Amino acid sequence: MQKPSDELLVAYLDGELGEAELAGVDAYLERDEAVRERVRALTLSGSLLSEAFDELLDEPVPERLLAAATGVKALPAAATILAFRPKTGIGSSRWWIGMAAAASLFGVVFGGSIGYFTATEPFLHGKEADGQVKQSQMAPLDATAVNNSWLDNVAGYHNLFAAPPAGGSDSTVFDIPANGDDANQKISQHIPGDLKIPDLKPWGLEFKGLRQLVIEGRPAAQLYYTTDNKALGPITVVIATSKRTDVAPTYDQRQNINLLYWRHMGRAYAIVGQADKGYMWGLANDIAWQLNAI
Amino acid sequence: MTDAFSERLVASLPRLRRFARGLTGAVAQADDLVQSACERALTRQHQFQEGTRFDSWMFRIIQTIWIDQIRSRDVRKEETEVEDDRFGSDEPVRRVEARLALEEVRRAAARLPADQRAALMLVTVEGFSYKEAAEIAQVPVGTIMSRLARARVALTALLESGSGLRGSVSDAKAQR
């Protein structure tokens, strides 16, 4: 037998050789120290690789992956359907558009509060019939998801929608497609309170539909807006219930995704997309005005 | 969606994340990949054949999505991020050093070509046979064999030229 190739040695270590080849390599190893040393090095690198990746199994599983795996989207409707706040003074809301630059300064001032916002809560699977999440129904894996951030989840959900699915467009399925009043009614059922779908047409954004989510154990809605201008859209707007204290609008990034988020009066808001900061700030101001969320 | 299917998916998440991490070399990219794979699996669960290996089916979905992403988005190795430092200041120094050594191994693996990384993860880390790995990667067994050999040789060279294979081994063993 000729000196075994690296390919043969690796297959030898992986137990993939037939009896004849196995015997040949064994015989060669007995008489060639250099080959033995080669096998030792290959064995060690393989062992190290296994160990290096095995320790990743102990890492907490992000909440958004648990949600994606379980298909957790919708909570049962709340018992009470709340009335919509009449839309007043819509024209006056647009003056915010010109205030993007000033708003950016606002963001600089309050930009340091991110860590405050990204504190986490346990992810909860279980839901009682009345739509309340039940702590005692936490799945075994929930404890491992405690340390994952709200913003990571929000950015992850955006990517899920915005990135073209490799196998087609079938992942862009809305719980509630854009069809006027029904969407407004449904979002108010899902997230109790006076709520409506923000109208972002003046920004060139068309509402396509929403998904009902549970983020950190609380009901949330992801609103999906598209535009022909690929520099601006798509944009997702996340509205969630929150028990945390209010936070002023703050800018953050996840990879190439821009996020503007804030909390106001028991709700958390986030605007997510790849548009520039000025545009995002303008959107934030308009949405905050429309939803009385600032 | 059936509960049993969802339960299997949830149970496989740690392994799916590990495989995706090996492919992408980055935490966030890996989780995005797994998330996309879960979505796809749920929408196509009718295509899964009972009696076949669920993990193989999921790895194949991840592998397919990853290849598509490489082709469509020109995902580059330069995007690889440094993993979060998860070590507390009160941990023994030796343990920290050992873990950093393992991180070096992961970084070395991330420097390999994508097809070699996939072969390495499927066989050396996930324990699939060459035949199973070939089915998941949808390439001939011989291709898996050659990719794997090149990967193992390159990884060994990277570790020997970097912090040192021997040093890494002793560091890693120190924490056992």
Side-chain angles (χ1 to χ4, degrees), chain A residues 14 16 42 45 49-55 59-60 62 64-65 68-70 141 159-160 163 166-167, chain B residues 1 6 10 17-18 21 31-32 35 40 42 44 68 73 102 106 120 124 129-130 148-149 152-153 156 176:
Chain A
D14 289 334
E16 293 277 350
L42 290 171
S45 66
L49 186 77
S50 294
E51 190 168 353
F53 280 94
D54 279 351
E55 75 168 7
E59 287 187 355
R64 64 179 167 110
L65 296 188
T70 54
L141 281 174
N159 283 334
L160 196 61
Chain B
M1 174 182 55
S6 186
V10 169
R17 292 186 76 222
R18 177 174 67 174
R21 185 85 65 88
D31 285 345
D32 287 348
Q35 186 169 343
R40 185 178 295 190
L42 289 174
R44 300 182 182 184
D68 288 347
R73 298 181 194 170
L102 293 178
R106 290 195 291 271
L120 204 56
T124 308
S129 69
Y130 286 10
L148 196 57
R152 289 284 287 274
V153 169
T156 303
R176 294 173 186 163

Side-chain angles (χ1 to χ4, degrees), chain B residues 21 25-28 78-85 100 103 107:
Chain B
R21 185 85 65 88
V27 179
E78 290 76 37
E79 291 174 352
T80 299
E81 64 191 41
V82 177
E83 294 172 7
D84 293 339
D85 183 1
L100 290 174
E103 190 174 310
R107 284 178 176 159

Side-chain angles (χ1 to χ4, degrees), chain A residues 242-283:
Chain A
S242 173
K243 285 188 176 179
R244 301 186 190 284
T245 55
D246 289 2
V247 165
T250 303
Y251 172 77
D252 196 11
Q253 268 193 313
R254 290 292 185 277
Q255 291 190 310
N256 57 344
I257 301 296
N258 295 325
L259 298 106
L260 262 176
Y261 62 90
W262 69 98
R263 285 200 306 270
H264 182 75
M265 301 289 286
R267 284 196 192 131
Y269 303 85
I271 301 171
V272 192
Q274 290 182 299
D276 65 63
K277 273 200 263 186
Y279 181 82
M280 301 274 283
W281 276 106
L283 276 180

